[in-house]
Amino acid sequence: MQIGIVGKPNVGKSTFFGAATMAPVEIANYPFTTIEPNKGVAYVRTPCPCRELGVQCTPHNSLCVNGTRMVPVELLDVAGLVPDAWQGKGLGNKFLDDLRQADALINVVDVSGSTDIEGVSVGVGTHDPTEDITFLRTEIECWMREIIKNGFSKIARQARMQGSKPEAILAERLQGLKVSEAQIKDALREVPLPDDPTHWDDETLLKLCGAIRERSKPMIAAMNKSDIAPAENFDRVAAINKHCVSTMAETELALKKAAAGGLIEYTPGDDHFTIKDGSKVSDGQKKALDYMAENMRKFGGTGVQKCIEDAAFDMLDLICVYPVEDETKYTDHFGRVLPDAFLVPRGSTAKDLAYRVHTDLGDKFIRAVNAKTKRTVGADYELQDGDVIRIVANK
């Protein structure tokens, strides 16, 4: 799973990315520690089954801290977006191309209104932050429309002659954007197209791309710089974006650095921190920490961790499951207990999990065993959050 961190320049997007991917502990053996300069790993928290099962887990692809499993997710920090990026302005082509494989987007918005639409600094409250939401949607949707339209005339004529279904045509055009035919079908129920593709006009296609974008790349608004934002701006952004979280990326980054330096104890996602006994904190540092603590109480934390988890669990509706080879000891081939935690879409089946673990397991699937209940389940068994599953397959 990949979450894109997007937004116009100068809103704290890179700070958000840096704070989110500065893991509090090292996740050993995970392949995404450093992929590219603009990619990193954050994590989402979910209850580990180890306590329910009364075992000591030995995680492999994730961590378990006091019964909470920390599951890695990949974050992508894309280039800052400016208006008309879909036409190539600024770094628009790079920005939009980087979004192809994103499953969800976190739009970092300057809710304080202290940067204009181009990302230039202005007075606090001067700019309407809702424009940051609407323009980014428009850019992505125009980009999708242009991908559909590229060389479309010939395809439309052929499709009319062959009687091709609209969803099939669109799925072929958008196949590199991680858009499924099911998502397109659902969007077409909201914005139907004429049966004859040669009659698809730009305006209707743009509306359809909006419906497709909502389903294939849902967007959460990180209302950043919340500590200096006018109160009315929060309601304005929330009125046009269903998923919103107040964030203070600079505070999160500062707290993680302070924790790494041994000054404080802080767990990402908490609404508080404590200064360690004996820490040598200067008057200036104490004043800054007091300011951060006050705002964390006001907003319930910095919001950075919540943003990532809301994207994964609320917008994408993912659950966490644990494949094992021995359903009695909950171990893998190497004897590791509850080694791997996989995030999968709610509604996934046992066979879907088998394919996720390895293609051969999916191809040779026979049955599965629910390790918690010790019951045999079939290929169509719908996985539940926290399931521990053994896959049985032909050798």
Side-chain angles (χ1 to χ4, degrees), residues 159-220:
R160 180 176 60 182
M161 293 172 57
Q162 297 168 0
S164 302
K165 293 182 179 180
E167 59 267 27
I169 302 168
L170 292 165
E172 189 276 329
R173 303 301 293 163
L174 299 174
Q175 62 182 344
L177 273 64
K178 216 171 183 179
V179 177
S180 70
E181 191 166 319
Q183 291 168 335
I184 294 172
K185 277 186 176 181
D186 193 37
L188 283 167
R189 282 190 279 270
E190 180 182 331
V191 186
L193 291 174
D195 291 336
D196 185 348
T198 62
H199 293 164
W200 295 358
D201 60 65
D202 280 8
E203 184 179 349
T204 305
L205 272 178
L206 187 59
K207 289 180 181 178
L208 178 67
C209 287
I212 293 172
R213 195 270 312 154
E214 288 178 359
R215 290 157 175 79
S216 63
K217 302 191 187 302
M219 188 183 301
I220 189 168

Side-chain angles (χ1 to χ4, degrees), residues 3-62:
I3 299 174
I5 311 299
V6 300
K8 70 184 185 186
N10 208 25
V11 295
K13 181 170 58 67
S14 294
T15 302
F16 184 103
F17 176 80
T21 56
M22 186 179 176
V25 284
E26 184 178 356
I27 298 178
N29 298 323
Y30 195 73
F32 296 129
T33 305
T34 304
I35 308 170
E36 292 178 5
N38 62 339
K39 289 185 181 180
V41 171
Y43 67 89
V44 293
R45 299 165 297 172
T46 187
C48 181
C50 62
R51 291 192 170 179
E52 177 188 351
L53 298 174
V55 296
Q56 178 65 53
C57 61
T58 47
H60 173 58
N61 78 337
S62 49

Side-chain angles (χ1 to χ4, degrees), residues 109-317:
V109 175
D110 179 1
V111 76
S112 74
S114 61
T115 47
D116 68 15
I117 199 67
E118 299 276 354
V120 177
S121 294
V122 294
V124 171
T126 303
H127 178 69
D128 181 358
T130 62
E131 292 183 21
D132 300 358
I133 303 286
T134 55
F135 107 85
L136 195 137
R137 287 178 184 165
T138 300
E139 294 302 323
I140 295 174
E141 290 156 16
C142 285
W143 169 63
M144 284 185 166
R145 183 185 64 184
E146 293 310 299
I147 290 174
I148 293 172
K149 288 176 58 181
N150 185 23
F152 186 68
S153 297
K154 180 179 179 181
I155 295 170
R157 289 194 297 270
Q158 291 176 342
R160 180 176 60 182
M161 293 172 57
Q162 297 168 0
S164 302
K165 293 182 179 180
E167 59 267 27
I169 302 168
L170 292 165
E172 189 276 329
R173 303 301 293 163
L174 299 174
Q175 62 182 344
L177 273 64
K178 216 171 183 179
V179 177
S180 70
E181 191 166 319
Q183 291 168 335
I184 294 172
K185 277 186 176 181
D186 193 37
L188 283 167
R189 282 190 279 270
E190 180 182 331
V191 186
L193 291 174
D195 291 336
D196 185 348
T198 62
H199 293 164
W200 295 358
D201 60 65
D202 280 8
E203 184 179 349
T204 305
L205 272 178
L206 187 59
K207 289 180 181 178
L208 178 67
C209 287
I212 293 172
R213 195 270 312 154
E214 288 178 359
R215 290 157 175 79
S216 63
K217 302 191 187 302
M219 188 183 301
I220 189 168
M223 300 186 293
N224 204 35
K225 305 183 184 180
S226 290
D227 51 326
I228 61 171
E232 62 271 16
N233 280 3
F234 295 98
D235 292 335
R236 294 166 76 179
V237 171
I240 68 166
N241 206 88
K242 180 180 178 181
H243 297 279
C244 297
V245 176
S246 298
T247 63
M248 298 175 290
E250 285 191 0
T251 296
E252 179 74 8
L253 187 58
L255 291 177
K256 284 187 173 176
K257 287 182 176 179
L263 294 179
I264 66 170
E265 291 183 355
Y266 170 61
T267 300
D270 283 357
D271 61 0
H272 66 282
F273 61 87
T274 56
I275 298 176
K276 286 186 175 181
D277 292 338
S279 294
K280 295 181 179 180
V281 179
S282 68
D283 290 343
Q285 288 173 322
K286 180 64 165 58
K287 184 177 180 181
L289 289 170
D290 287 344
Y291 173 81
M292 289 187 279
E294 179 183 353
N295 282 298
M296 289 176 72
R297 287 191 293 269
K298 179 179 178 181
F299 294 106
T302 71
V304 172
Q305 186 67 29
K306 177 174 171 54
C307 248
I308 298 164
E309 291 176 349
D310 281 5
F313 297 132
D314 293 345
M315 292 201 307
L316 295 176
D317 200 17

